[in-house]
Amino acid sequence: MVSSYSDDIIIINLKIMLLNEFQINEIEKYIYMKNVNKYCVIICLFMDDMLILDNNDYMINFTNKILTNKFRHCLH
């Protein structure tokens, strides 16, 4: 069976998020959460974009930097 491009992206997303200790939301497969000390980082993935939510700018920037780098390496 040949997988589609979108299926490949979903698999890459899942692997990257799980390798970075994010937990997948059981109801919505494009939402991931990770608790770091007293902060909870929430990521919502879209086809070609992601929304990173947290109450701390440092955690948002840090998460963005790590994941952007990981996605860049996996997709090229």
Side-chain angles (χ1 to χ4, degrees), residues 57-71:
D57 287 340
Y58 172 78
M59 289 303 297
I60 291 173
N61 293 330
F62 180 74
T63 303
N64 183 38
K65 185 182 296 184
I66 288 173
L67 294 178
T68 299
N69 190 34
K70 298 256 185 195
F71 277 103

Side-chain angles (χ1 to χ4, degrees), residues 38-61:
K38 60 184 176 183
Y39 302 106
C40 179
V41 178
I42 300 172
I43 297 179
C44 303
L45 296 177
F46 303 100
M47 282 303 282
D48 62 350
D49 207 356
M50 77 173 65
L51 179 63
I52 302 173
L53 306 165
D54 196 317
N55 61 348
N56 181 305
D57 287 340
Y58 172 78
M59 289 303 297
I60 291 173
N61 293 330

Side-chain angles (χ1 to χ4, degrees), residues 6-60:
S6 62
D7 290 342
D8 292 341
I9 296 298
I10 291 170
I11 291 168
I12 290 170
N13 289 344
L14 180 60
K15 285 181 180 179
I16 290 172
M17 300 310 286
L18 294 177
L19 284 172
N20 284 282
E21 300 177 356
F22 280 86
Q23 297 176 354
I24 192 168
N25 184 300
E26 296 297 325
I27 297 169
E28 181 56 56
K29 62 184 176 181
Y30 298 106
I31 297 177
Y32 301 86
M33 298 184 332
K34 179 178 180 178
N35 291 314
V36 180
N37 296 328
K38 60 184 176 183
Y39 302 106
C40 179
V41 178
I42 300 172
I43 297 179
C44 303
L45 296 177
F46 303 100
M47 282 303 282
D48 62 350
D49 207 356
M50 77 173 65
L51 179 63
I52 302 173
L53 306 165
D54 196 317
N55 61 348
N56 181 305
D57 287 340
Y58 172 78
M59 289 303 297
I60 291 173

